[in-house]
Amino acid sequence: MQNRKIGAHVSASGGLYKAIERANEIGANCVQLFSGSPRVWKRKDLSEFDTTMLFSKQKELSVDPIFTHSMYLINLASEKPELLEKSFNALKYDLEFDSLIKGSGIIVHLGSHLGRGWEAVREQVAQQIISLLEATPKDSTFLIENSAGQNGKLCSKLEEIRWLINRVDELSKEKIDVSSDTFSVELNKSRLGWCFDTCHAYAAGYALGKEPKSLYFKSVLEEITRLKLWDDLKCVHVNDSRDDFGSGRDRHENIGFGNIPTEDFKYFLNYKEVLEIPLLLEVPGLDKNGPDAHNIAILKDYCK
Ligand SMILES: [Zn+2]
């Protein structure tokens, strides 16, 4: 418990360093933020961010690592060229932002196939990701988040994340083969990983505990092991679920107030492979102002 990274999504309004102060105030030692409003495309110029204040505040309060959550408008599976281009540019900005703030990655909801099915869109999504990695700083990291699955949301099945990581790796090797002289970007595996959200997984039909919850789904821990996804897992969103197991719905709840059994949370959080991974709350908070000291305290308690 002593060295665990336990943090939360907090507001960065008023300056990036404010996010560090807000995290520290609720007892968090790592943090997630947005690079701007998650519901609008507009972003300010990267040169307007004050990183000097950010880094000194991080050092002073020992809040590290820092993750960026991408906006909600993105759809890398879109058939519409304009939306695809906007999505690409928004993610390019966030990867540049991640590099600027010396972050540990941007966490991305990839979007939806809108009824076309995973197989119809997956190659496009992989091509978009590799193009993004080529176009952005080497020290930026792209993390795919698992979804709850409703409305065709991509990557509710962990196999889909496995497929994308493999495919992007293949594509990067092909690029090195055909243009070894000019290929300047080392697309090593560490630039693409994933983030596991407990609420989304529960809603998608993955049990967090030891016992399989249904005949169809194993414990998610076994599934991550089977898919060899531990090395690529860079952070965990710890959220309870307002909806039932397998509901497909994405509605977060405060820890202990939702449907995920406490014993399952504890089993998952104290599993040996999870101990080193930063944990981030994205809960509504008791006062509906986002993650708070109460939820951080419960999470710390679960991690004992
Ligand atoms: Zn999440």
Side-chain angles (χ1 to χ4, degrees):
M1 172 54 215
Q2 205 67 29
N3 303 316
R4 289 197 77 162
K5 288 293 175 184
I6 294 180
H9 185 98
V10 296
S11 162
S13 71
L16 296 175
Y17 76 97
K18 289 270 191 191
I20 304 304
E21 289 180 344
R22 290 182 183 114
N24 180 64
E25 275 164 26
I26 60 170
N29 62 7
C30 61
V31 71
Q32 175 181 285
L33 42 72
F34 291 124
S35 62
S37 167
R39 290 184 176 82
V40 298
W41 294 105
K42 198 172 157 32
R43 285 290 181 268
K44 64 180 182 183
D45 198 281
L46 285 169
S47 63
E48 291 174 40
F49 289 107
D50 184 345
T51 51
T52 310
M53 281 281 277
L54 170 70
F55 298 147
S56 70
K57 196 54 85 176
Q58 275 192 282
K59 207 171 170 193
E60 178 195 333
L61 300 176
S62 301
V63 176
D64 183 67
I66 179 165
F67 293 89
T68 302
H69 199 295
S70 67
M71 60 171 72
Y72 301 138
L73 305 169
I74 284 161
N75 191 0
L76 288 184
S78 179
E79 288 180 288
K80 296 179 185 156
E82 194 199 352
L83 177 56
L84 194 57
E85 191 184 341
K86 278 181 161 178
S87 300
F88 184 93
N89 289 335
L91 291 170
K92 182 169 177 282
Y93 178 96
D94 274 357
L95 286 162
E96 287 164 355
F97 177 79
D98 180 49
S99 170
L100 178 75
I101 66 169
K102 301 188 196 305
S104 291
I106 68 164
I107 296 162
V108 184
H109 297 180
L110 295 175
S112 167
H113 60 63
L114 298 170
R116 292 195 291 154
W118 161 247
E119 277 79 14
V121 302
R122 63 187 187 179
E123 184 62 26
Q124 173 181 316
V125 174
Q127 294 286 351
Q128 291 290 313
I129 294 173
I130 189 108
S131 299
L132 276 161
L133 294 177
E134 280 183 281
T136 50
K138 285 182 190 178
D139 59 352
S140 60
T141 309
F142 189 109
L143 304 174
I144 301 164
E145 179 168 357
N146 65 310
S147 78
Q150 206 172 42
N151 301 325
K153 291 275 163 54
L154 305 177
C155 293
S156 60
K157 294 192 177 74
L158 301 188
E159 284 102 331
E160 297 177 4
I161 295 176
R162 178 73 273 164
W163 189 92
L164 282 173
I165 293 174
N166 286 353
R167 184 66 187 133
V168 171
D169 192 43
E170 271 173 26
L171 290 170
S172 73
K173 285 182 184 134
E174 281 170 22
K175 282 176 187 281
I176 291 165
D177 288 346
V178 293
S179 59
S180 52
D181 294 346
T182 51
F183 191 70
S184 57
V185 186
E186 290 156 24
L187 296 173
N188 60 47
K189 269 189 146 184
S190 64
R191 289 197 59 204
L192 178 62
W194 69 295
C195 165
F196 177 78
D197 187 302
T198 57
C199 167
H200 302 172
Y202 184 79
Y206 290 108
L208 298 181
K210 203 174 188 172
E211 300 301 323
K213 175 133 183 166
S214 79
L215 291 174
Y216 306 104
F217 297 101
K218 292 174 181 173
S219 153
V220 78
L221 294 158
E222 281 177 40
E223 188 64 354
I224 295 170
T225 302
R226 184 182 76 83
L227 293 168
K228 299 187 169 62
L229 275 170
W230 286 115
D231 287 348
D232 304 302
L233 179 59
K234 303 302 176 192
C235 68
V236 172
H237 283 167
V238 186
N239 300 307
D240 211 334
S241 172
R242 282 178 69 184
D243 297 290
D244 290 336
F245 184 72
S247 66
R249 301 191 68 186
D250 177 5
R251 295 193 303 165
H252 299 186
E253 183 52 282
N254 293 318
I255 308 300
F257 287 73
N259 289 314
I260 301 180
T262 301
E263 288 314 308
D264 286 10
F265 259 132
K266 287 183 177 173
Y267 182 75
F268 175 84
L269 292 166
N270 294 293
Y271 191 73
K272 67 176 188 323
E273 307 281 8
V274 179
L275 296 176
E276 305 287 317
I277 300 173
L279 309 174
L280 297 160
L281 290 164
E282 295 174 316
V283 293
L286 295 184
D287 298 331
K288 306 253 181 279
N289 291 321
D292 50 20
H294 173 82
N295 278 279
I296 289 277
I298 291 185
L299 182 51
K300 284 182 178 172
D301 182 57
Y302 283 9
C303 286
K304 273 171 193 162

